[in-house]
Amino acid sequence: MPVPNSISVEKLARLIGTPGCPVVVDVRTYKEFLADQRHVPGSLVREPGRVAEWAPALRNRSVVVVCEDGRRHSHGVAAWLRSAGVSAEALQGGIADWAAAELPMVPADKVRNRDELGRTVWVTRSRPKVDRIACPWLIRRFVDPDAVFLFVPPGEVVGVAERFEAAPFDIGDPGTFWSHRGELCTFDVMVEEMGLATPPLLHLAMLVRGADTGRPDLAPEAAGLLAASLGLSRIYADDLAQLDAGMLLYDAFYRWCRDATEERHDWVGDRTKGKA
């Protein structure tokens, strides 16, 4: 029998990575977290005992609360959130069932650069193109929906990273962790390091690599992705506005990779024209 105010692992897994995905809030205690130091993709980390403090920031957002086993903290926290005007459900079976289903999980040690509000902070070169839009899309959809991105002149990246404890990415320095590795682009590296190597994301990574490294031979769609990315860079002078527009572009390519690669569209026209 379905548990009221809860969502199944299977249903949440279908929503992860899409614009309509609810905010996932991991409310495990630190002791519980030590047993499995990974998160459901896109999780915010919050203390269950301080829900009254952080609940107001989630008003007008749908939330799925995750704990160790789907019982220990999630239903109580979800109930408190609902009392504060937040649409909240608990994940059935919690982290234990998610892990048992062998679904993607993000290692916590890959996302250490957080500000006082718990948001991850990232910095890269201004005037982003393919990789520097694809990576923020991946982070916002699968790692941290509230992530902060700083786009600065190339010569300022290192200083800004140190000043704001931001993680630099795709800055053209092979010594940077989040950077190209051999034939792989930064998006490839993030997909692998973040524990997100699912077939749809690996397919998307091939398109990004082809568009970003001048390899349109990798996939027919790579040239189209490059054209759309360059077009957006000409439309928007503001990097953050360009990122917002690029989110929709990558949402569409991801859903194609996940759900529509076998679908074909052929315009037939009026086959009856000219017939008696």
Side-chain angles (χ1 to χ4, degrees), residues 128-159:
K129 299 297 189 295
V130 183
D131 222 358
R132 282 169 287 144
I133 296 293
C135 291
W137 172 83
L138 183 75
I139 292 164
R140 284 262 175 91
R141 291 289 184 250
F142 291 90
V143 180
D144 176 12
D146 295 336
V148 175
F149 294 98
L150 308 175
F151 295 99
V152 301
E156 299 296 319
V157 171
V158 174

PDB file of all heavy atoms in Angstrom, residues 128-159:
ATOM      1  N   PRO A 128      31.157  32.273 -21.894  1.00  0.00           N
ATOM      2  CA  PRO A 128      31.169  30.813 -21.996  1.00  0.00           C
ATOM      3  C   PRO A 128      30.630  30.320 -23.333  1.00  0.00           C
ATOM      4  O   PRO A 128      29.755  30.936 -23.937  1.00  0.00           O
ATOM      5  CB  PRO A 128      30.256  30.384 -20.846  1.00  0.00           C
ATOM      6  CG  PRO A 128      29.309  31.538 -20.676  1.00  0.00           C
ATOM      7  CD  PRO A 128      30.150  32.750 -20.937  1.00  0.00           C
ATOM      8  N   LYS A 129      31.184  29.180 -23.751  1.00  0.00           N
ATOM      9  CA  LYS A 129      30.682  28.508 -24.946  1.00  0.00           C
ATOM     10  C   LYS A 129      30.174  27.129 -24.515  1.00  0.00           C
ATOM     11  O   LYS A 129      29.548  26.996 -23.470  1.00  0.00           O
ATOM     12  CB  LYS A 129      31.774  28.419 -26.002  1.00  0.00           C
ATOM     13  CG  LYS A 129      32.297  29.776 -26.478  1.00  0.00           C
ATOM     14  CD  LYS A 129      31.241  30.616 -27.153  1.00  0.00           C
ATOM     15  CE  LYS A 129      31.825  31.863 -27.812  1.00  0.00           C
ATOM     16  NZ  LYS A 129      32.414  32.811 -26.835  1.00  0.00           N
ATOM     17  N   VAL A 130      30.515  26.102 -25.246  1.00  0.00           N
ATOM     18  CA  VAL A 130      29.906  24.781 -25.056  1.00  0.00           C
ATOM     19  C   VAL A 130      30.137  24.206 -23.660  1.00  0.00           C
ATOM     20  O   VAL A 130      29.202  24.006 -22.881  1.00  0.00           O
ATOM     21  CB  VAL A 130      30.423  23.794 -26.123  1.00  0.00           C
ATOM     22  CG1 VAL A 130      29.739  22.437 -25.968  1.00  0.00           C
ATOM     23  CG2 VAL A 130      30.182  24.346 -27.512  1.00  0.00           C
ATOM     24  N   ASP A 131      31.373  23.906 -23.323  1.00  0.00           N
ATOM     25  CA  ASP A 131      31.698  23.221 -22.071  1.00  0.00           C
ATOM     26  C   ASP A 131      31.314  24.046 -20.847  1.00  0.00           C
ATOM     27  O   ASP A 131      30.869  23.518 -19.830  1.00  0.00           O
ATOM     28  CB  ASP A 131      33.203  22.922 -22.040  1.00  0.00           C
ATOM     29  CG  ASP A 131      33.519  21.527 -21.510  1.00  0.00           C
ATOM     30  OD1 ASP A 131      32.582  20.804 -21.140  1.00  0.00           O
ATOM     31  OD2 ASP A 131      34.703  21.169 -21.468  1.00  0.00           O
ATOM     32  N   ARG A 132      31.505  25.355 -20.940  1.00  0.00           N
ATOM     33  CA  ARG A 132      31.264  26.223 -19.786  1.00  0.00           C
ATOM     34  C   ARG A 132      29.786  26.562 -19.588  1.00  0.00           C
ATOM     35  O   ARG A 132      29.432  27.255 -18.647  1.00  0.00           O
ATOM     36  CB  ARG A 132      32.106  27.489 -19.891  1.00  0.00           C
ATOM     37  CG  ARG A 132      33.566  27.255 -19.508  1.00  0.00           C
ATOM     38  CD  ARG A 132      34.439  28.436 -19.869  1.00  0.00           C
ATOM     39  NE  ARG A 132      34.661  28.524 -21.298  1.00  0.00           N
ATOM     40  CZ  ARG A 132      34.745  29.677 -21.974  1.00  0.00           C
ATOM     41  NH1 ARG A 132      34.593  30.822 -21.342  1.00  0.00           N
ATOM     42  NH2 ARG A 132      34.974  29.669 -23.271  1.00  0.00           N
ATOM     43  N   ILE A 133      28.919  26.072 -20.474  1.00  0.00           N
ATOM     44  CA  ILE A 133      27.475  26.095 -20.246  1.00  0.00           C
ATOM     45  C   ILE A 133      27.007  24.694 -19.875  1.00  0.00           C
ATOM     46  O   ILE A 133      26.170  24.509 -18.990  1.00  0.00           O
ATOM     47  CB  ILE A 133      26.715  26.597 -21.482  1.00  0.00           C
ATOM     48  CG1 ILE A 133      27.082  28.057 -21.770  1.00  0.00           C
ATOM     49  CG2 ILE A 133      25.211  26.461 -21.280  1.00  0.00           C
ATOM     50  CD1 ILE A 133      26.614  29.044 -20.723  1.00  0.00           C
ATOM     51  N   ALA A 134      27.567  23.684 -20.535  1.00  0.00           N
ATOM     52  CA  ALA A 134      27.177  22.296 -20.251  1.00  0.00           C
ATOM     53  C   ALA A 134      27.484  21.906 -18.811  1.00  0.00           C
ATOM     54  O   ALA A 134      26.679  21.240 -18.146  1.00  0.00           O
ATOM     55  CB  ALA A 134      27.894  21.343 -21.213  1.00  0.00           C
ATOM     56  N   CYS A 135      28.660  22.304 -18.297  1.00  0.00           N
ATOM     57  CA  CYS A 135      29.032  21.941 -16.926  1.00  0.00           C
ATOM     58  C   CYS A 135      28.108  22.576 -15.887  1.00  0.00           C
ATOM     59  O   CYS A 135      27.633  21.884 -14.974  1.00  0.00           O
ATOM     60  CB  CYS A 135      30.493  22.302 -16.661  1.00  0.00           C
ATOM     61  SG  CYS A 135      31.672  21.292 -17.581  1.00  0.00           S
ATOM     62  N   PRO A 136      27.815  23.879 -15.975  1.00  0.00           N
ATOM     63  CA  PRO A 136      26.841  24.444 -15.040  1.00  0.00           C
ATOM     64  C   PRO A 136      25.467  23.781 -15.143  1.00  0.00           C
ATOM     65  O   PRO A 136      24.783  23.597 -14.131  1.00  0.00           O
ATOM     66  CB  PRO A 136      26.780  25.921 -15.444  1.00  0.00           C
ATOM     67  CG  PRO A 136      28.138  26.198 -15.993  1.00  0.00           C
ATOM     68  CD  PRO A 136      28.513  24.944 -16.730  1.00  0.00           C
ATOM     69  N   TRP A 137      25.060  23.417 -16.357  1.00  0.00           N
ATOM     70  CA  TRP A 137      23.782  22.703 -16.492  1.00  0.00           C
ATOM     71  C   TRP A 137      23.832  21.392 -15.707  1.00  0.00           C
ATOM     72  O   TRP A 137      22.897  21.073 -14.959  1.00  0.00           O
ATOM     73  CB  TRP A 137      23.492  22.401 -17.972  1.00  0.00           C
ATOM     74  CG  TRP A 137      22.300  21.499 -18.137  1.00  0.00           C
ATOM     75  CD1 TRP A 137      20.975  21.863 -18.152  1.00  0.00           C
ATOM     76  CD2 TRP A 137      22.323  20.063 -18.251  1.00  0.00           C
ATOM     77  NE1 TRP A 137      20.181  20.745 -18.278  1.00  0.00           N
ATOM     78  CE2 TRP A 137      20.977  19.633 -18.336  1.00  0.00           C
ATOM     79  CE3 TRP A 137      23.340  19.114 -18.285  1.00  0.00           C
ATOM     80  CZ2 TRP A 137      20.634  18.284 -18.465  1.00  0.00           C
ATOM     81  CZ3 TRP A 137      23.000  17.775 -18.405  1.00  0.00           C
ATOM     82  CH2 TRP A 137      21.659  17.373 -18.501  1.00  0.00           C
ATOM     83  N   LEU A 138      24.915  20.627 -15.863  1.00  0.00           N
ATOM     84  CA  LEU A 138      25.045  19.353 -15.152  1.00  0.00           C
ATOM     85  C   LEU A 138      24.989  19.571 -13.648  1.00  0.00           C
ATOM     86  O   LEU A 138      24.305  18.834 -12.920  1.00  0.00           O
ATOM     87  CB  LEU A 138      26.352  18.674 -15.540  1.00  0.00           C
ATOM     88  CG  LEU A 138      26.586  17.286 -14.927  1.00  0.00           C
ATOM     89  CD1 LEU A 138      25.715  16.251 -15.628  1.00  0.00           C
ATOM     90  CD2 LEU A 138      28.061  16.890 -15.014  1.00  0.00           C
ATOM     91  N   ILE A 139      25.692  20.590 -13.166  1.00  0.00           N
ATOM     92  CA  ILE A 139      25.739  20.855 -11.728  1.00  0.00           C
ATOM     93  C   ILE A 139      24.363  21.264 -11.213  1.00  0.00           C
ATOM     94  O   ILE A 139      23.896  20.757 -10.188  1.00  0.00           O
ATOM     95  CB  ILE A 139      26.797  21.935 -11.425  1.00  0.00           C
ATOM     96  CG1 ILE A 139      28.199  21.378 -11.709  1.00  0.00           C
ATOM     97  CG2 ILE A 139      26.695  22.407  -9.975  1.00  0.00           C
ATOM     98  CD1 ILE A 139      29.267  22.443 -11.816  1.00  0.00           C
ATOM     99  N   ARG A 140      23.687  22.175 -11.909  1.00  0.00           N
ATOM    100  CA  ARG A 140      22.372  22.633 -11.466  1.00  0.00           C
ATOM    101  C   ARG A 140      21.346  21.498 -11.484  1.00  0.00           C
ATOM    102  O   ARG A 140      20.488  21.421 -10.619  1.00  0.00           O
ATOM    103  CB  ARG A 140      21.892  23.767 -12.366  1.00  0.00           C
ATOM    104  CG  ARG A 140      22.593  25.109 -12.082  1.00  0.00           C
ATOM    105  CD  ARG A 140      21.749  25.999 -11.198  1.00  0.00           C
ATOM    106  NE  ARG A 140      22.468  27.227 -10.845  1.00  0.00           N
ATOM    107  CZ  ARG A 140      22.402  28.351 -11.563  1.00  0.00           C
ATOM    108  NH1 ARG A 140      21.689  28.386 -12.684  1.00  0.00           N
ATOM    109  NH2 ARG A 140      23.054  29.423 -11.152  1.00  0.00           N
ATOM    110  N   ARG A 141      21.425  20.630 -12.464  1.00  0.00           N
ATOM    111  CA  ARG A 141      20.411  19.573 -12.594  1.00  0.00           C
ATOM    112  C   ARG A 141      20.727  18.316 -11.779  1.00  0.00           C
ATOM    113  O   ARG A 141      19.816  17.602 -11.364  1.00  0.00           O
ATOM    114  CB  ARG A 141      20.260  19.176 -14.067  1.00  0.00           C
ATOM    115  CG  ARG A 141      19.623  20.253 -14.939  1.00  0.00           C
ATOM    116  CD  ARG A 141      18.144  20.406 -14.634  1.00  0.00           C
ATOM    117  NE  ARG A 141      17.520  21.379 -15.530  1.00  0.00           N
ATOM    118  CZ  ARG A 141      17.079  22.575 -15.148  1.00  0.00           C
ATOM    119  NH1 ARG A 141      17.219  22.956 -13.876  1.00  0.00           N
ATOM    120  NH2 ARG A 141      16.500  23.380 -16.011  1.00  0.00           N
ATOM    121  N   PHE A 142      22.002  18.032 -11.514  1.00  0.00           N
ATOM    122  CA  PHE A 142      22.355  16.757 -10.890  1.00  0.00           C
ATOM    123  C   PHE A 142      23.195  16.878  -9.620  1.00  0.00           C
ATOM    124  O   PHE A 142      23.410  15.867  -8.949  1.00  0.00           O
ATOM    125  CB  PHE A 142      23.113  15.869 -11.882  1.00  0.00           C
ATOM    126  CG  PHE A 142      22.283  15.365 -13.025  1.00  0.00           C
ATOM    127  CD1 PHE A 142      22.191  16.092 -14.199  1.00  0.00           C
ATOM    128  CD2 PHE A 142      21.576  14.170 -12.929  1.00  0.00           C
ATOM    129  CE1 PHE A 142      21.414  15.639 -15.266  1.00  0.00           C
ATOM    130  CE2 PHE A 142      20.804  13.706 -13.985  1.00  0.00           C
ATOM    131  CZ  PHE A 142      20.721  14.444 -15.153  1.00  0.00           C
ATOM    132  N   VAL A 143      23.680  18.052  -9.301  1.00  0.00           N
ATOM    133  CA  VAL A 143      24.573  18.173  -8.142  1.00  0.00           C
ATOM    134  C   VAL A 143      24.031  19.155  -7.117  1.00  0.00           C
ATOM    135  O   VAL A 143      23.829  18.814  -5.951  1.00  0.00           O
ATOM    136  CB  VAL A 143      25.996  18.591  -8.583  1.00  0.00           C
ATOM    137  CG1 VAL A 143      26.918  18.722  -7.370  1.00  0.00           C
ATOM    138  CG2 VAL A 143      26.565  17.579  -9.579  1.00  0.00           C
ATOM    139  N   ASP A 144      23.787  20.373  -7.519  1.00  0.00           N
ATOM    140  CA  ASP A 144      23.336  21.417  -6.592  1.00  0.00           C
ATOM    141  C   ASP A 144      22.459  22.410  -7.340  1.00  0.00           C
ATOM    142  O   ASP A 144      22.969  23.239  -8.106  1.00  0.00           O
ATOM    143  CB  ASP A 144      24.548  22.138  -5.988  1.00  0.00           C
ATOM    144  CG  ASP A 144      24.151  23.303  -5.095  1.00  0.00           C
ATOM    145  OD1 ASP A 144      22.958  23.424  -4.757  1.00  0.00           O
ATOM    146  OD2 ASP A 144      25.041  24.087  -4.726  1.00  0.00           O
ATOM    147  N   PRO A 145      21.136  22.358  -7.150  1.00  0.00           N
ATOM    148  CA  PRO A 145      20.241  23.264  -7.894  1.00  0.00           C
ATOM    149  C   PRO A 145      20.442  24.727  -7.563  1.00  0.00           C
ATOM    150  O   PRO A 145      20.042  25.598  -8.334  1.00  0.00           O
ATOM    151  CB  PRO A 145      18.838  22.784  -7.474  1.00  0.00           C
ATOM    152  CG  PRO A 145      19.042  22.092  -6.167  1.00  0.00           C
ATOM    153  CD  PRO A 145      20.395  21.461  -6.253  1.00  0.00           C
ATOM    154  N   ASP A 146      21.073  25.010  -6.439  1.00  0.00           N
ATOM    155  CA  ASP A 146      21.301  26.398  -6.029  1.00  0.00           C
ATOM    156  C   ASP A 146      22.733  26.857  -6.263  1.00  0.00           C
ATOM    157  O   ASP A 146      23.163  27.890  -5.735  1.00  0.00           O
ATOM    158  CB  ASP A 146      20.950  26.564  -4.545  1.00  0.00           C
ATOM    159  CG  ASP A 146      19.470  26.341  -4.271  1.00  0.00           C
ATOM    160  OD1 ASP A 146      18.664  26.518  -5.206  1.00  0.00           O
ATOM    161  OD2 ASP A 146      19.120  25.981  -3.134  1.00  0.00           O
ATOM    162  N   ALA A 147      23.495  26.114  -7.042  1.00  0.00           N
ATOM    163  CA  ALA A 147      24.908  26.426  -7.269  1.00  0.00           C
ATOM    164  C   ALA A 147      25.095  27.847  -7.801  1.00  0.00           C
ATOM    165  O   ALA A 147      24.287  28.353  -8.587  1.00  0.00           O
ATOM    166  CB  ALA A 147      25.518  25.429  -8.248  1.00  0.00           C
ATOM    167  N   VAL A 148      26.179  28.473  -7.370  1.00  0.00           N
ATOM    168  CA  VAL A 148      26.539  29.822  -7.798  1.00  0.00           C
ATOM    169  C   VAL A 148      27.668  29.730  -8.829  1.00  0.00           C
ATOM    170  O   VAL A 148      28.663  29.024  -8.592  1.00  0.00           O
ATOM    171  CB  VAL A 148      26.997  30.676  -6.596  1.00  0.00           C
ATOM    172  CG1 VAL A 148      27.482  32.047  -7.060  1.00  0.00           C
ATOM    173  CG2 VAL A 148      25.866  30.814  -5.579  1.00  0.00           C
ATOM    174  N   PHE A 149      27.516  30.442  -9.950  1.00  0.00           N
ATOM    175  CA  PHE A 149      28.544  30.434 -10.990  1.00  0.00           C
ATOM    176  C   PHE A 149      29.066  31.846 -11.211  1.00  0.00           C
ATOM    177  O   PHE A 149      28.291  32.786 -11.405  1.00  0.00           O
ATOM    178  CB  PHE A 149      27.985  29.857 -12.293  1.00  0.00           C
ATOM    179  CG  PHE A 149      27.643  28.404 -12.174  1.00  0.00           C
ATOM    180  CD1 PHE A 149      26.336  28.007 -11.930  1.00  0.00           C
ATOM    181  CD2 PHE A 149      28.630  27.439 -12.247  1.00  0.00           C
ATOM    182  CE1 PHE A 149      26.017  26.677 -11.776  1.00  0.00           C
ATOM    183  CE2 PHE A 149      28.328  26.097 -12.093  1.00  0.00           C
ATOM    184  CZ  PHE A 149      27.021  25.715 -11.851  1.00  0.00           C
ATOM    185  N   LEU A 150      30.385  31.977 -11.162  1.00  0.00           N
ATOM    186  CA  LEU A 150      31.051  33.260 -11.346  1.00  0.00           C
ATOM    187  C   LEU A 150      31.819  33.224 -12.667  1.00  0.00           C
ATOM    188  O   LEU A 150      32.688  32.372 -12.859  1.00  0.00           O
ATOM    189  CB  LEU A 150      32.012  33.538 -10.188  1.00  0.00           C
ATOM    190  CG  LEU A 150      31.416  33.404  -8.773  1.00  0.00           C
ATOM    191  CD1 LEU A 150      32.503  33.595  -7.720  1.00  0.00           C
ATOM    192  CD2 LEU A 150      30.273  34.395  -8.557  1.00  0.00           C
ATOM    193  N   PHE A 151      31.475  34.120 -13.587  1.00  0.00           N
ATOM    194  CA  PHE A 151      32.153  34.212 -14.871  1.00  0.00           C
ATOM    195  C   PHE A 151      33.033  35.464 -14.848  1.00  0.00           C
ATOM    196  O   PHE A 151      32.526  36.581 -14.709  1.00  0.00           O
ATOM    197  CB  PHE A 151      31.136  34.299 -16.010  1.00  0.00           C
ATOM    198  CG  PHE A 151      30.285  33.064 -16.164  1.00  0.00           C
ATOM    199  CD1 PHE A 151      29.006  33.013 -15.629  1.00  0.00           C
ATOM    200  CD2 PHE A 151      30.760  31.950 -16.840  1.00  0.00           C
ATOM    201  CE1 PHE A 151      28.214  31.882 -15.772  1.00  0.00           C
ATOM    202  CE2 PHE A 151      29.983  30.805 -16.987  1.00  0.00           C
ATOM    203  CZ  PHE A 151      28.712  30.771 -16.442  1.00  0.00           C
ATOM    204  N   VAL A 152      34.345  35.271 -14.955  1.00  0.00           N
ATOM    205  CA  VAL A 152      35.282  36.388 -14.812  1.00  0.00           C
ATOM    206  C   VAL A 152      36.325  36.338 -15.935  1.00  0.00           C
ATOM    207  O   VAL A 152      36.493  35.310 -16.594  1.00  0.00           O
ATOM    208  CB  VAL A 152      35.981  36.347 -13.437  1.00  0.00           C
ATOM    209  CG1 VAL A 152      34.970  36.422 -12.302  1.00  0.00           C
ATOM    210  CG2 VAL A 152      36.850  35.095 -13.300  1.00  0.00           C
ATOM    211  N   PRO A 153      37.056  37.442 -16.165  1.00  0.00           N
ATOM    212  CA  PRO A 153      38.126  37.408 -17.171  1.00  0.00           C
ATOM    213  C   PRO A 153      39.140  36.313 -16.838  1.00  0.00           C
ATOM    214  O   PRO A 153      39.383  36.013 -15.658  1.00  0.00           O
ATOM    215  CB  PRO A 153      38.757  38.802 -17.047  1.00  0.00           C
ATOM    216  CG  PRO A 153      37.661  39.673 -16.519  1.00  0.00           C
ATOM    217  CD  PRO A 153      36.886  38.788 -15.574  1.00  0.00           C
ATOM    218  N   PRO A 154      39.742  35.711 -17.866  1.00  0.00           N
ATOM    219  CA  PRO A 154      40.667  34.587 -17.637  1.00  0.00           C
ATOM    220  C   PRO A 154      41.736  34.858 -16.592  1.00  0.00           C
ATOM    221  O   PRO A 154      42.042  33.992 -15.766  1.00  0.00           O
ATOM    222  CB  PRO A 154      41.276  34.366 -19.026  1.00  0.00           C
ATOM    223  CG  PRO A 154      40.222  34.820 -19.979  1.00  0.00           C
ATOM    224  CD  PRO A 154      39.561  35.983 -19.318  1.00  0.00           C
ATOM    225  N   GLY A 155      42.293  36.054 -16.590  1.00  0.00           N
ATOM    226  CA  GLY A 155      43.353  36.361 -15.649  1.00  0.00           C
ATOM    227  C   GLY A 155      42.899  36.507 -14.210  1.00  0.00           C
ATOM    228  O   GLY A 155      43.734  36.566 -13.293  1.00  0.00           O
ATOM    229  N   GLU A 156      41.580  36.560 -13.994  1.00  0.00           N
ATOM    230  CA  GLU A 156      41.038  36.751 -12.652  1.00  0.00           C
ATOM    231  C   GLU A 156      40.561  35.453 -12.002  1.00  0.00           C
ATOM    232  O   GLU A 156      40.196  35.442 -10.828  1.00  0.00           O
ATOM    233  CB  GLU A 156      39.861  37.739 -12.701  1.00  0.00           C
ATOM    234  CG  GLU A 156      40.224  39.120 -13.215  1.00  0.00           C
ATOM    235  CD  GLU A 156      41.204  39.820 -12.294  1.00  0.00           C
ATOM    236  OE1 GLU A 156      41.038  39.712 -11.063  1.00  0.00           O
ATOM    237  OE2 GLU A 156      42.149  40.457 -12.805  1.00  0.00           O
ATOM    238  N   VAL A 157      40.529  34.363 -12.761  1.00  0.00           N
ATOM    239  CA  VAL A 157      39.917  33.126 -12.253  1.00  0.00           C
ATOM    240  C   VAL A 157      40.594  32.636 -10.974  1.00  0.00           C
ATOM    241  O   VAL A 157      39.921  32.331  -9.984  1.00  0.00           O
ATOM    242  CB  VAL A 157      39.952  32.022 -13.334  1.00  0.00           C
ATOM    243  CG1 VAL A 157      39.516  30.683 -12.727  1.00  0.00           C
ATOM    244  CG2 VAL A 157      39.045  32.384 -14.493  1.00  0.00           C
ATOM    245  N   VAL A 158      41.902  32.544 -10.976  1.00  0.00           N
ATOM    246  CA  VAL A 158      42.604  31.997  -9.819  1.00  0.00           C
ATOM    247  C   VAL A 158      42.380  32.852  -8.585  1.00  0.00           C
ATOM    248  O   VAL A 158      42.090  32.340  -7.487  1.00  0.00           O
ATOM    249  CB  VAL A 158      44.116  31.869 -10.112  1.00  0.00           C
ATOM    250  CG1 VAL A 158      44.870  31.432  -8.859  1.00  0.00           C
ATOM    251  CG2 VAL A 158      44.350  30.861 -11.243  1.00  0.00           C
ATOM    252  N   GLY A 159      42.494  34.164  -8.727  1.00  0.00           N
ATOM    253  CA  GLY A 159      42.285  35.054  -7.589  1.00  0.00           C
ATOM    254  C   GLY A 159      40.874  34.981  -7.046  1.00  0.00           C
ATOM    255  O   GLY A 159      40.659  34.955  -5.825  1.00  0.00           O
TER     256      GLY A 159
END
